[in-house]
Amino acid sequence: MDLLSSPRNQGWKRTEEETCAPSGDSLGSALAVYLAWRNHGIGEDYRYAAMRRRMGPKFAFVSLFQTFLLQAGLNFLIGQSLYSSQLPPSGYPNQAEQSSDLTTLDHLGTAVWAAGFFFETVGDIQLAAFKSNPENKGKLMNTGLWKYTRHPNYFGNSAMFWGYYLISCAVKGGWKSVFSPGLMTYMLMKVSGVALLERGLSKRKPGFAEYVKSTSSFVPWFPGKT
């Protein structure tokens, strides 16, 4: 796994092939391919279409700051744990000193990242398969991983960034990047993810209220015990 190629695996050598960067690259690429496939032929996202109508002629200028530059700033902040995880581990401040041992935090962070990758990937695949069946049009997805959390893909995305954070904690001062996964989780739960999506689902999907009562909104848990 790419995460095991951190600098602590084969001595600290600052090359991209020996850091957590490939895992971030593969995750971003996989997500881009999935979104391109899912949205092909659908047209503009309804949220941007509504923004375009609301802003009128000012849309291009406002979206430059409100959408693109804002996201660039958030990416910089959210990526701090990933950046920190590529620094030399505590006790090995320069390239002359090397460690061949993975730390407990490396292993724990890798496990959390892998669990998150599983939830995001499998959750997206299950949802895509559900939507591809014409018989499910207008119905609510509540099987597979969606039986245990209403948003397995969002949970998985958050978990991966907490995995990066745990790995970064092996770096001197890496714990200070706790705002990185914290901000990611907050955005997914309260801003652009769960909260925004569920406002629409509550109006469009019959049985959604019952689904909310029986299924955890974010962290997976057993149905009917939230």
Side-chain angles (χ1 to χ4, degrees):
M1 182 176 291
D2 290 321
L3 286 179
L4 291 180
S5 297
S6 72
R8 292 171 286 288
N9 193 16
Q10 299 179 15
W12 189 71
K13 299 176 182 177
R14 189 158 174 65
T15 61
E16 185 171 328
E17 292 76 18
E18 296 175 326
T19 66
C20 291
S23 65
D25 294 340
S26 60
L27 172 61
S29 299
L31 185 58
V33 170
Y34 169 73
L35 290 175
W37 169 79
R38 188 187 70 178
N39 296 321
H40 178 68
I42 294 179
E44 187 175 34
D45 186 286
Y46 73 92
R47 292 165 293 186
Y48 294 128
M51 182 180 175
R52 185 186 298 277
R53 291 192 299 270
R54 189 171 63 252
M55 296 297 175
K58 298 184 293 183
F59 173 77
F61 181 77
V62 174
S63 65
L64 173 64
F65 291 92
Q66 187 172 326
T67 303
F68 299 105
L69 293 181
L70 175 61
Q71 288 186 21
L74 288 172
N75 283 337
F76 175 77
L77 294 174
I78 291 171
Q80 289 304 307
S81 288
L82 176 58
Y83 308 149
S84 297
S85 67
Q86 299 178 60
L87 297 174
S90 300
Y92 296 89
N94 56 62
Q95 297 186 33
E97 299 180 63
Q98 298 184 355
S99 170
S100 61
D101 298 324
L102 289 167
T103 69
T104 299
L105 288 170
D106 285 321
H107 290 293
L108 182 59
T110 299
V112 172
W113 187 93
F117 186 80
F118 171 81
F119 268 87
E120 177 166 13
T121 304
V122 175
D124 281 338
I125 291 173
Q126 290 177 341
L127 183 60
F130 180 84
K131 288 184 174 181
S132 67
N133 186 345
E135 295 181 0
N136 293 327
K137 186 176 181 178
K139 294 183 180 179
L140 189 67
M141 173 68 170
N142 59 0
T143 57
L145 294 180
W146 301 80
K147 180 180 179 180
Y148 303 98
T149 166
R150 302 200 298 270
H151 303 279
N153 45 359
Y154 290 153
F155 167 76
N157 200 302
S158 173
M160 283 188 282
F161 279 87
W162 283 106
Y164 286 135
Y165 172 69
L166 289 171
I167 294 175
S168 75
C169 284
V171 175
K172 186 176 182 180
W175 64 270
K176 297 177 182 178
S177 67
V178 65
F179 64 85
S180 168
L183 178 59
M184 183 63 167
T185 302
Y186 176 79
M187 293 294 294
L188 287 171
M189 294 186 68
K190 301 296 185 181
V191 182
S192 63
V194 174
L196 182 62
L197 182 61
E198 292 200 343
R199 281 199 296 269
L201 289 174
S202 62
K203 301 175 183 178
R204 303 194 312 269
K205 299 292 184 179
F208 185 71
E210 291 74 18
Y211 182 51
V212 168
K213 292 178 182 178
S214 65
T215 310
S216 171
S217 66
F218 199 70
V219 178
W221 196 246
F222 299 103
K225 298 181 180 181
T226 59

